[in-house]
């Protein structure tokens, strides 16, 4: 799928209507084919007509994508995600059965690197789907997630949770972040400090 | 004949378009319809009066099994009345074009109703079937209700309209019973056959005769209410709240004559039935005197005429109902004369009112000097009403006096009754003369005190209609022999009392009748000159019985009873309602179970070991139900109820019913959304009012009902002795309905009628919900998002939510990257970027899925209902993410339009097969080859499913807009918000 870089948003407006919608239309046609489990030309053409009608009838602003998508990283991320969900499920089960109401939870501010709404949403979903953590609030301006985490009694464990979430973000940047963000993540691996969008993490 | 009838109703339907284009001049176009019908009527004269030619008639089967035929027949009596109905109708419509202003509200509806009324009247007097007659009868009642209530915003007009409706409908219902009794005893509902059979029917004795007598009496009750005879006369003066043209047409020439017509129609055959003479003479004479007496007290010109009309109607009923050849002749002569002069006078009053702004005779002064032409017209009308030569009224009254003199001398009732009636009638005529004089003096005279009132000049077009009527009145008086020729065939059906016969003449010589006329003039003049003393006398005599007050008291009593019954049954206690409903259900079912023999199925087992998930679903449902019952927060309770619903969906899925499971899931979700939206304005915790007292009872009731249902299910299983009908459904569905999904084909094809009824109910329920919540009209579109300031919707109070707002402000400050159309309109503290992004990503896909479900439903899981619900959910998340302006952006078509479109689509699918020689809801399977697409199979019942889809989407939008947007708006406006309702007990708000 192709998209637009953030900086090119103004240029994008000059493209014809259909091109601006192309990612959406292609996606909808794929959905249509998948629903019917039939990717024959006839069905896809019919699907394209319906997709056009739907996109025309219900206008929504075009999505700004980052411009890159690494399929391999995506696959790896998916496997990693499933693994995390399974581990965390048993962990939460253990806490619930053994510790019960005695565990201490925390609401943690997690500043992110990227200001992209899409990435922020993806991170929020991933960590909410992993049992034990949940997004309660988003500060869009400073790209900060406020996360409710189970069993985080000490400052160390809080820092660990925060780091874990920033790790999720790094993985997602590797999959679908912009080139600049990817470069920053790679630099971190080489020892550079983590630069959040809002500057220093707030307590 | 059919053309005349249809033209009236068709043009009435088109009238709004005419008014939109032509303004008030459209009345001229409308007037052409009865006008040209009038000309047609004149051309039919030969046929109607010929001995040999058959009269114009029409007979179309309607519901032959019930004896209903659309049969019309024009005989001489119908022809005479049509003269009035069409002629006066045309003149009044033309008059309206100058009476109203182009800008008057609701003119198009008014014009349409008036024209339709003319059509209904025409149908009424030509109908040859009793039931058809009744249909037109009530049609005139309803139209008259609408016409009297023309001034929608005036409470007096509405009340008068309602009063007229209630009184005349009461009579109409009595009449319906009477008509059926008459029809059944005659064995036919054809009016002409009944009249032919009349002598035979009247000759019957015993029970048959009693049925006939009572039936005729009941029909007379209908005639009495319609023609405003006592004790029902009061609605007519009340109906003067109508615009004057309506009064002129309905209350002088047409509608009130319907009762007279009915009497005239039945008189040849049935005037000798037991109650006829009693009712006619007592009520007719009483009405004549009462109306005249009251007319002399009025100060409103229109009311003088109204009471005058009441009086004249009594007079007419008396004469027409007498049943002698002379009376019939004179009676119909008066019907014509009265129609002419009374309509003329009403129109004159309309002009006076229009030009001077008042109808009060204490204010009006010197009008004659300002408008002499109008004065002359009014004089002719009033003189005719008073019975002065050489006008129509004189001719008729002379004839009547002569007829009643003959009746007193030779009639079967004997001289005592005859002369009593005679005296009463002369007294009534004296009153008539006096109020005619009062009308002229009051409307036109130069009063001793006060100056001449300002009076705008009257245009010829405006004056045209009453002037034509006045000229006709004069012509009638000068050429009475023409009228006599018109009436003769009708009156010939009666026995003659007077050996000399009666002729309508201007000059009979010095006869006793002329003497009586002279007497009337003398006494009338005397009453007029001593009017001051008369008024004082009238004030001293209290009304013996005030019928209007009786009516009002009856209505009040009815209201009281209704309030009492409602208060006893609709107490606003959910516990009470449920106890009654469930208790009745338990009692009825248990009684049947105990009283009849039951076969229990052989193999009852508690757990299905082959399907362990069933047990899990069962446990989930049980936990959900118990938790819902024990919850003390509304929100928790609703969530727990949803748990039971989802558990049920799981059960369906496990039992191999994916369609049911899918639908149940979606419905559950939509209900949850609606609940949560609705609950926002209720206090969060439930009131545990009186829980302690009824707790045990509630539990017992709940457990008992549940147990009963289980037992019923088991017994029902055991009761089966034949193969279930569902076994053949798959085959039927594929061969007949062309689909593999049995559930869907059943819904849209096999049981399409059921579904049609259900979506109609759905549309009604949606409309009901909307009208309960909406203060403004639902039809209007929501304002677009661009009209709204960014971040202005749903702001939180600053002082209590400091931190939230502080955080949120930065949201707005963030770089603009819109995910939704109207997300920016929400206050920043209400926004959630995650939901906005997800909504953006999911919305179009959900719509595509909903379309897939709609189209795939015929063969696979899905269908219009499920598809509509998915589309509704897609709109729901748009609303939740972006607020009410987002919803407005997503749904540019209003809910009402969608509901209407859906129903129309379903209805079209229903009737289209008729045009191809099929039957209603028959579906066709179209199969064809297309180049790229290959073989395409299309079943027409898909259109029906699309209708269902649209209705469901419309319903969801309605729920979102009323429970969501509209409550948002209320809370922002501070009406009916959380604070207001909290101190009150929510269930009693509606009381």
């Amino acid at each position: 799928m192709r998209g637009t870089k953030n900086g090119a948003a103004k240029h994008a407006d000059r493209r014809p209507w259909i091109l601006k919608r192309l990612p959406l239309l292609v996606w909808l046609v794929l959905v249509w084919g998948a629903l019917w489990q039939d990717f024959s030309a006839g069905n896809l053409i019919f699907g394209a007509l319906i997709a056009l009608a739907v996109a025309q009838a219900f206008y929504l602003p075009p999505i700004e994508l980052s411009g890159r998508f690494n399929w391999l990283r995506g696959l790896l991320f998916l496997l990693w995600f499933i693994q995390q969900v399974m581990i965390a499920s048993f962990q939460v089960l253990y806490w619930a059965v053994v510790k019960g109401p005695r565990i201490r939870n925390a609401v943690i501010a997690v500043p992110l690197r990227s200001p992209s709404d899409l990435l922020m949403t993806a991170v929020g979903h991933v960590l909410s789907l992993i049992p034990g953590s949940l997004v309660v609030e988003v500060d869009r301006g400073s790209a900060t997630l406020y996360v409710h985490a189970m069993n985080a009694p000490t400052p160390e464990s809080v820092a660990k949770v925060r780091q874990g979430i920033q790790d999720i973000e790094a993985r997602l940047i590797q999959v679908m972040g912009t080139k600049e963000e990817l470069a920053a993540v790679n630099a971190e691996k080489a020892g550079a400090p983590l630069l959040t969008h809002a500057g220093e993490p707030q307590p | 004949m059919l053309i005349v009838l249809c033209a009236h109703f068709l043009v009435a339907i088109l009238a709004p378009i005419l008014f939109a284009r032509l303004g008030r001049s459209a009345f001229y176009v409308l007037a052409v319809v009865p006008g040209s019908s009038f000309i047609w009527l004149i051309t039919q004269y030969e046929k109607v009066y010929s001995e040999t030619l058959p009269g114009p008639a029409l007979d179309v089967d309607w519901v032959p099994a019930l004896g209903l035929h659309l049969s019309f027949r024009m005989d001489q009596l119908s022809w005479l009345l049509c003269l009035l109905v069409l002629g006066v109708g045309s003149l009044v419509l033309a008059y309206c074009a100058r009476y109203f202003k182009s800008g008057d509200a609701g003119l198009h509806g008014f014009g349409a109703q008036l024209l339709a009324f003319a059509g209904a009247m025409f149908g009424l007097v030509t109908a040859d079937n009793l039931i058809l007659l009744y249909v037109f009868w009530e049609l005139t009642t309803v139209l008259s209700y609408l016409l009297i209530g023309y001034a929608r915003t005036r409470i007096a007009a509405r009340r008068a309209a309602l009063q007229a409706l209630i009184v005349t409908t009461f009579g109409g219902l009595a009449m319906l019973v009477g008509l059926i009794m008459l029809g059944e005893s005659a064995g036919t509902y054809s009016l002409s056959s009944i009249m032919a059979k009349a002598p035979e029917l009247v000759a019957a004795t015993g029970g048959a005769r009693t049925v006939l007598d009572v039936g005729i009496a009941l029909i007379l009750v209908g005639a009495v209410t319609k023609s405003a005879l006592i004790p029902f006369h009061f609605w007519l003066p009340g109906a003067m709240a109508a615009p004057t043209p309506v009064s002129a047409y309905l209350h002088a020439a047409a509608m009130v004559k319907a009762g007279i017509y009915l009497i005239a129609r039945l008189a040849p055959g049935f005037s000798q039935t037991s109650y006829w003479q009693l009712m006619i003479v007592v009520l007719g004479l009483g009405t004549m005197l009462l109306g005249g007496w009251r007319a002399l007290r009025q100060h409103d010109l229109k009311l003088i005429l109204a009471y005058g009309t009441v009086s004249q109607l009594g007079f007419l009923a008396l004469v027409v109902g007498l049943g002698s050849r002379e009376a019939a002749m004179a009676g119909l002569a008066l019907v014509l004369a009265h129609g002419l002069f009374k309509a003329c006078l009403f129109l004159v009053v309309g002009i006076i009112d229009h030009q001077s702004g008042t109808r009060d005779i204490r204010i009006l002064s010197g009008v004659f000097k300002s408008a002499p032409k109008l004065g002359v017209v009014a004089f002719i009308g009033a003189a005719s009403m008073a019975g002065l030569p050489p006008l129509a009224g004189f001719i008729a009254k002379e004839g009547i006096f002569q007829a009643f003199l003959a009746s007193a001398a030779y009639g079967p009732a004997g001289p005592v009754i005859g002369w009593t009636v005679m005296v009463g009638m002369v007294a009534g005529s004296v009153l008539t003369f006096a109020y005619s004089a009062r009308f002229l003096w009051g409307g036109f005279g130069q009063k001793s005190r006060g100056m001449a009132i300002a009076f705008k000049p009257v245009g010829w077009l405006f004056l045209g209609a009453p002037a034509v009527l006045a000229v006709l009145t004069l012509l009638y008086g000068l050429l009475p022999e023409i009228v006599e020729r018109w009436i003769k065939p009708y009156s010939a059906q009666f026995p003659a009392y007077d050996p000399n016969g009666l002729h309508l003449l201007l000059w009979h010589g010095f006869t006793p009748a002329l003497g009586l006329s002279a007497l009337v003039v003398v006494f009338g003049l005397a009453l007029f000159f001593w009017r001051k003393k008369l008024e004082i006398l009238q004030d001293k005599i209290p009304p013996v019985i005030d019928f209007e007050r009786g009516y009002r008291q009856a209505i009040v009593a009815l209201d009281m009873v209704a309030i009492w019954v409602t208060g006893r049954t609709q107490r606003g206690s959910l516990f009470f309602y449920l106890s009654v409903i469930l208790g009745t259900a338990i009692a009825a079912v248990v009684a049947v179970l105990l009283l009849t023999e039951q076969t229990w199925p052989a193999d009852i087992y508690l757990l299905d070991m082959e399907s362990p998930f069933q047990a899990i679903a069962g446990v989930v449902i049980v936990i959900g139900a118990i938790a819902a019952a024990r919850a003390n927060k509304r929100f928790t309770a609703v969530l727990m109820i949803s748990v039971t619903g989802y558990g049920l969906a799981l059960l369906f899925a496990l039992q191999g019913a994916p369609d049911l499971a899918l639908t149940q899931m979606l419905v559950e979700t939509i209900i949850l959304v609606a609940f949560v939206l609705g609950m926002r304005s209720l206090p969060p915790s439930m009131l545990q009012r009186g829980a302690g007292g009824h707790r045990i009872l509630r539990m017992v009731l709940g457990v008992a009902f549940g147990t009963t249902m289980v037992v019923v299910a088991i017994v029902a299983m055991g009761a089966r002795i034949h193969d279930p009908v569902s076994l053949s459904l798959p085959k039927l569905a594929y061969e007949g309905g062309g689909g593999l999904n049995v559930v869907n084909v059943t819904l849209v094809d096999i049981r399409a009628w059921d579904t049609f009824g259900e979506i109609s109910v759905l549309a009604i329920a949606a409309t009901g919900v909307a009208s309960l919540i909406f203060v403004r009209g639902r039809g209007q579109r929501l304002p677009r998002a661009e009209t709204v300031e960014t971040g202005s919707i749903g702001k939180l109070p600053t002082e209590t939510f400091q931190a939230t707002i502080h955080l949120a402000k930065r949201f707005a400050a963030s770089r603009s990257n819109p995910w939704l159309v109207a997300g920016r309109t929400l206050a920043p503290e209400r926004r959630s970027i995650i939901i906005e992004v997800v909504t953006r990503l999911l919305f179009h896909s959900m719509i595509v899925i909903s379309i897939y479900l709609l189209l795939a439903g015929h063969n696979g899981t899905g269908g219009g209902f499920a598809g509509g619900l998915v589309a509704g959910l897609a709109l729901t998340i748009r609303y939740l993410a972006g607020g009410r302006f987002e919803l407005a952006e997503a749904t540019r078509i209003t809910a009402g339009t969608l509901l209407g479109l859906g129903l129309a689509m379903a209805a079209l699918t229903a009737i289209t097969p008729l045009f191809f020689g099929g039957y209603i809801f028959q579906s066709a399977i179209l199969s064809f080859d297309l180049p790229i697409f290959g073989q395409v199979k299309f079943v027409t019942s898909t259109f029906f499913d699309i209708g269902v889809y649209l209705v469901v989407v419309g319903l969801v939008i309605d729920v979102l807009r009323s429970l969501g947007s509209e409550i948002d708006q209320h809370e922002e406006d501070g009406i009916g918000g959380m604070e207001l309702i909290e101190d009150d007990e929510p269930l009693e708000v509606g009381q």
Side-chain angles (χ1 to χ4, degrees):
Chain A
M1 271 195 265
R2 59 158 306 188
T4 352
K5 285 177 192 171
N6 287 339
K10 286 199 171 167
H11 271 290
D13 289 345
R14 290 201 202 126
R15 290 181 306 164
W17 180 88
I18 195 110
L19 276 181
K20 256 192 293 182
R21 297 296 177 77
L22 203 57
L24 175 69
L25 294 178
V26 170
W27 166 250
L28 292 181
V29 172
L30 286 178
V31 168
W32 182 257
L35 284 170
W36 286 102
Q37 298 170 14
D38 172 12
F39 285 92
S40 65
N43 194 34
L44 289 187
I45 289 173
F46 191 52
L49 290 178
I50 284 182
L52 263 177
V54 168
Q56 182 73 310
F58 298 96
Y59 170 81
L60 280 175
I63 304 177
E64 292 182 14
L65 298 172
S66 66
R68 60 173 283 276
F69 193 91
N70 189 326
W71 290 98
L72 184 65
R73 287 282 184 184
L75 195 65
L76 287 178
F77 179 80
L78 194 66
L79 293 175
W80 176 83
F81 171 67
I82 293 169
Q83 183 202 358
Q84 289 297 307
V85 170
M86 286 167 71
I87 295 172
S89 301
F90 286 104
Q91 209 165 23
V92 171
L93 180 68
Y94 170 73
W95 289 334
V97 174
V98 178
K99 295 203 170 179
R102 281 166 299 157
I103 60 162
R104 288 186 66 186
N105 303 325
V107 174
I108 306 164
V110 185
L112 299 179
R113 303 172 184 88
S114 164
S116 151
D117 289 334
L118 196 57
L119 205 66
M120 214 152 59
T121 307
V123 175
H125 269 76
V126 168
L127 72 90
S128 297
L129 286 171
I130 295 175
S133 49
L134 191 71
V135 176
V136 289
E137 185 64 88
V138 181
D139 181 356
R140 193 185 182 196
S142 65
T144 304
L145 298 181
Y146 291 85
V147 180
H148 176 274
M150 282 179 81
N151 198 25
T154 61
E156 292 77 40
S157 52
V158 166
K160 203 176 144 214
V161 172
R162 183 178 293 135
Q163 208 184 340
I165 293 167
Q166 282 165 343
D167 179 48
I168 296 176
E169 195 201 5
R171 285 170 190 273
L172 280 170
I173 285 175
Q174 285 171 341
V175 178
M176 50 182 261
T178 60
K179 281 175 188 154
E180 293 78 12
E181 288 161 357
L182 183 64
V185 168
N186 287 337
E188 280 168 35
K189 282 190 181 157
L194 192 156
L195 286 176
T196 63
H197 179 64
E200 282 305 300
Q202 293 148 339
Chain B
M1 201 155 185
L2 192 64
I3 295 171
V4 170
L5 199 60
C6 291
H8 280 84
F9 290 108
L10 280 180
V11 177
I13 290 171
L14 297 177
I17 305 170
L18 293 173
F19 278 96
R21 295 200 165 215
L22 304 174
R24 65 177 184 175
S25 299
F27 276 116
Y28 287 127
V29 181
L30 298 193
V32 168
V33 179
S36 46
S37 306
F38 184 79
I39 294 169
W40 169 83
L41 192 71
I42 302 295
T43 62
Q44 297 300 306
Y45 177 80
E46 287 290 317
K47 270 189 181 176
V48 172
Y49 282 88
S50 140
E51 298 276 322
T52 48
L53 286 171
L58 178 82
D59 197 352
V60 182
D61 276 353
W62 182 15
V63 190
L66 292 177
L68 291 187
H69 301 271
L70 296 178
S71 53
F72 298 90
R73 206 169 135 265
M74 169 107 45
D75 63 358
Q76 297 86 3
L77 178 61
S78 306
W79 190 84
L80 266 176
L81 275 145
C82 285
L83 282 183
L84 272 184
V85 167
L86 296 175
V88 178
S90 174
L91 287 173
V92 166
L93 276 165
Y95 171 87
C96 280
R98 284 291 165 272
Y99 180 79
F100 288 101
K101 288 191 284 293
S102 276
D104 284 346
L107 213 52
H108 49 92
F110 177 82
Q113 288 154 11
L114 200 55
L115 185 61
F117 180 86
M121 229 19 238
F122 178 76
L124 172 62
V125 295
T126 53
D128 192 36
N129 181 288
L130 289 184
I131 304 298
L132 188 66
L133 176 98
Y134 176 74
V135 170
F136 282 115
W137 184 277
E138 291 299 17
L139 210 55
T140 61
T141 303
V142 172
L143 286 168
S144 118
Y145 165 72
L146 293 171
L147 287 167
I148 296 173
Y150 164 72
R152 304 260 183 278
T153 47
R154 276 179 47 217
I155 185 77
R158 299 182 71 118
R159 198 175 288 152
L162 193 63
Q163 177 178 298
L165 182 73
I166 290 176
V167 171
T168 46
T169 311
F170 164 77
L173 287 175
M175 184 178 105
L176 178 62
V177 175
L179 288 177
I180 291 174
M181 288 168 85
L182 177 61
E184 288 302 317
S185 54
T188 169
Y189 281 87
S190 160
L191 200 46
S192 43
S193 318
I194 290 175
M195 293 318 291
K197 265 185 166 179
E200 186 189 322
L201 290 171
V202 176
T205 50
R209 173 63 198 262
T210 314
V211 170
L212 182 72
D213 284 346
V214 174
I216 294 292
L218 285 172
I219 295 175
L220 284 184
V221 170
V224 164
T225 53
K226 197 83 163 180
S227 289
L229 301 194
I230 53 170
F232 302 108
H233 62 280
F234 53 86
W235 73 261
L236 186 57
M240 292 300 126
T244 304
V246 174
S247 309
Y249 189 36
L250 271 66
H251 307 137
M255 189 172 89
V256 291
K257 294 280 164 57
I260 304 298
Y261 163 74
L262 202 62
I263 295 174
R265 177 56 82 192
L266 296 176
F270 300 103
S271 62
Q272 299 312 320
T273 53
S274 308
Y275 309 111
W276 179 285
Q277 291 296 338
L278 184 72
M279 281 177 81
I280 293 290
V281 170
V282 171
L283 298 184
L285 201 58
T287 309
M288 185 182 185
L289 292 173
L290 185 91
W293 179 253
R294 289 268 170 91
L296 283 176
R297 297 183 60 179
Q298 305 305 321
H299 297 293
D300 181 334
L301 279 179
K302 213 169 156 187
L303 281 180
I304 297 178
L305 288 185
Y307 279 105
T309 309
V310 169
S311 166
Q312 293 278 314
L313 286 169
F315 194 21
L316 282 169
L318 182 61
V319 181
V320 170
L322 182 71
S324 78
R325 183 170 294 177
E326 302 80 37
M329 168 70 80
L332 284 195
L334 185 60
V335 167
L336 272 187
H338 178 251
L340 293 177
F341 69 67
K342 196 51 76 61
C344 166
L345 289 176
F346 267 116
L347 295 181
V348 165
V349 171
I351 294 177
I352 293 179
D353 192 10
H354 194 269
Q355 307 303 96
S356 71
T358 183
R359 301 191 303 249
D360 193 325
I361 59 171
R362 288 163 299 189
I363 300 174
L364 287 167
S365 182
V367 174
F368 187 81
K369 271 193 189 144
S370 323
K373 284 179 289 216
L374 184 68
V376 169
V377 169
F379 179 78
I380 294 175
S384 173
M385 178 154 79
L388 289 180
L391 300 166
F394 172 76
I395 304 286
K397 198 168 285 183
E398 279 291 274
I400 290 169
F401 284 156
Q402 207 174 327
F404 275 76
L405 284 172
S407 167
Y410 313 105
V416 179
I417 295 178
W419 283 108
T420 317
V421 172
M422 196 66 229
V423 170
M425 214 143 73
V426 171
S429 301
V430 169
L431 291 172
T432 305
F433 188 93
Y435 70 70
S436 303
R438 182 184 174 84
F439 173 84
L440 265 189
W441 164 80
F444 293 89
Q446 176 86 43
K447 313 292 196 312
S448 51
R449 59 193 150 91
M451 304 197 305
I453 194 163
F455 203 84
K456 287 181 240 154
V458 187
W460 266 113
L461 273 174
F462 201 7
L463 189 58
V468 168
L469 290 170
V471 169
L472 287 174
T473 301
L474 187 60
L475 281 179
Y476 177 174
L478 296 176
L479 304 164
E481 55 277 10
I482 297 179
V483 180
E484 184 184 333
R485 217 180 306 143
W486 291 346
I487 304 176
K488 203 158 193 167
Y490 169 76
S491 62
Q493 301 175 66
F494 294 92
Y497 293 168
D498 191 341
N500 303 323
L502 171 69
H503 295 282
L504 296 180
L505 284 177
L506 195 54
W507 180 248
H508 286 281
F510 291 99
T511 56
L514 188 68
L516 285 176
S517 283
L519 207 63
V520 166
V521 173
V522 172
F523 277 102
L525 279 175
L527 270 187
F528 174 69
F529 280 118
W530 285 307
R531 59 185 178 272
K532 281 271 150 48
K533 281 186 184 152
L534 184 70
E535 275 178 38
I536 296 167
L537 179 72
Q538 283 194 326
D539 286 340
K540 278 191 190 146
I541 302 174
V544 190
I545 315 161
D546 192 338
F547 292 107
E548 186 169 9
R549 236 176 76 198
Y551 161 82
R552 276 204 225 107
Q553 277 163 353
I555 295 290
V556 168
L558 196 65
D559 280 348
M560 298 293 279
V561 171
I563 290 169
W564 187 83
V565 170
T566 313
R568 286 285 169 279
T569 53
Q570 307 284 315
R571 309 196 326 202
S573 157
L574 189 60
F575 171 68
F576 175 75
Y577 296 159
L578 283 179
S579 305
V580 171
I581 293 170
L582 297 182
T584 313
I586 295 170
V589 171
V590 167
V592 173
L593 283 178
L594 292 180
L595 292 178
T596 56
E597 198 179 322
Q598 306 304 336
T599 349
W600 296 81
D603 47 342
I604 303 178
Y605 51 87
L606 193 61
L607 273 178
D608 186 359
M609 282 308 165
E610 286 169 27
S611 172
F613 286 108
Q614 255 188 33
I616 296 176
V619 170
V620 167
I621 293 176
V622 170
I623 292 176
I626 292 175
R630 294 188 56 85
N632 49 11
K633 291 257 193 279
R634 284 176 208 281
F635 190 68
T636 324
V638 168
L639 277 184
M640 288 303 125
I641 290 172
S642 293
V643 167
T644 64
Y646 289 123
L648 202 60
L650 185 61
L651 268 187
F652 288 150
L654 289 172
Q655 289 291 52
D659 257 300
L660 277 184
L662 176 72
T663 310
Q664 170 76 20
M665 283 275 293
L666 294 169
V667 167
E668 207 54 50
T669 312
I670 291 279
I671 288 178
L672 189 61
V673 170
F675 254 129
V676 172
L677 288 177
M679 275 192 328
R680 291 177 306 163
S681 44
L682 297 180
S685 57
M686 287 194 268
L687 297 159
Q688 291 294 324
R689 182 166 53 107
H694 297 305
R695 203 183 165 106
I696 305 290
L697 188 55
R698 288 174 200 229
M699 280 162 74
V700 169
L701 205 61
V703 171
F705 185 68
T707 316
T708 314
M709 291 318 292
V710 170
V711 172
V712 166
I714 294 174
V715 169
M717 292 291 196
R720 184 178 292 290
I721 48 169
H722 292 293
D723 283 340
V725 67
S726 57
L727 287 182
S728 56
L729 273 183
K731 190 161 160 276
L732 269 178
Y734 191 73
E735 286 170 5
L740 293 172
N741 181 348
V742 180
V743 177
N744 185 260
V745 176
T746 307
L747 285 178
V748 302
D749 197 330
I750 303 177
R751 307 298 302 267
W753 272 114
D754 287 3
T755 315
F756 190 66
E758 283 154 16
I759 58 174
S760 310
V761 170
L762 207 59
I764 293 166
T767 311
V769 169
S771 54
L772 280 178
I773 304 265
F774 272 75
V775 178
R776 289 166 285 255
R778 172 179 71 162
Q780 79 195 65
R781 290 177 162 199
L782 287 176
R784 300 289 298 237
E786 58 250 37
T787 61
V788 182
E789 197 188 324
T790 295
S792 58
I793 303 299
K795 280 184 180 162
L796 294 174
T798 342
E799 56 281 7
T800 37
F801 294 92
Q802 268 303 346
T804 323
I805 291 175
H806 178 70
L807 178 64
K809 288 286 188 249
R810 293 222 295 276
F811 192 123
S814 163
R815 101 200 129 77
S816 160
N817 180 11
W819 293 89
L820 297 176
V821 183
R824 59 163 189 85
T825 60
L826 280 186
E829 59 266 29
R830 298 254 172 182
R831 292 179 73 174
S832 161
I833 187 63
I834 290 189
I835 296 185
E836 285 189 22
V837 171
V838 170
T839 303
R840 175 66 189 86
L841 294 178
L842 282 182
F843 180 73
H844 286 127
S845 309
M846 285 179 79
I847 297 288
V848 167
I849 292 174
S850 81
I851 295 174
Y852 161 77
L853 285 176
L854 165 65
L855 297 180
H858 217 61
N859 289 318
T861 302
F865 194 67
L869 286 176
V870 171
L873 281 176
L875 294 171
T876 306
I877 62 168
R878 282 283 293 271
Y879 164 71
L880 292 178
R884 63 171 190 271
F885 286 95
E886 186 68 34
L887 180 67
E889 288 294 329
T891 56
R892 294 314 300 164
I893 304 178
T894 61
T897 316
L898 276 179
L899 290 172
L901 269 179
L903 281 183
M905 189 115 183
L908 269 182
T909 324
I911 58 167
T912 309
L914 293 180
F915 297 107
F916 294 96
Y919 48 89
I920 290 185
F921 277 125
Q922 188 175 15
S923 60
I925 304 169
L926 310 171
S927 199
F928 43 86
D929 280 302
L930 283 180
I932 306 169
F933 295 89
Q935 207 205 2
V936 179
K937 186 176 151 190
F938 182 79
V939 185
T940 51
S941 57
T942 303
F943 286 120
F944 186 75
D945 227 6
I946 294 175
V948 175
Y949 179 92
L950 291 176
V951 168
V952 173
V953 174
L955 170 76
V956 176
I957 293 177
D958 237 347
V959 168
L960 287 177
R961 279 194 59 182
S962 41
L963 292 182
S965 307
E966 196 64 16
I967 289 183
D968 289 351
Q969 178 96 55
H970 286 195
E971 290 192 350
E972 278 162 36
D973 299 349
I975 43 169
M978 211 182 263
E979 296 78 12
L980 285 178
I981 293 180
E982 213 159 47
D983 349 287
D984 222 331
E985 300 196 348
L987 280 175
E988 286 170 1
V989 171
Q991 290 280 303

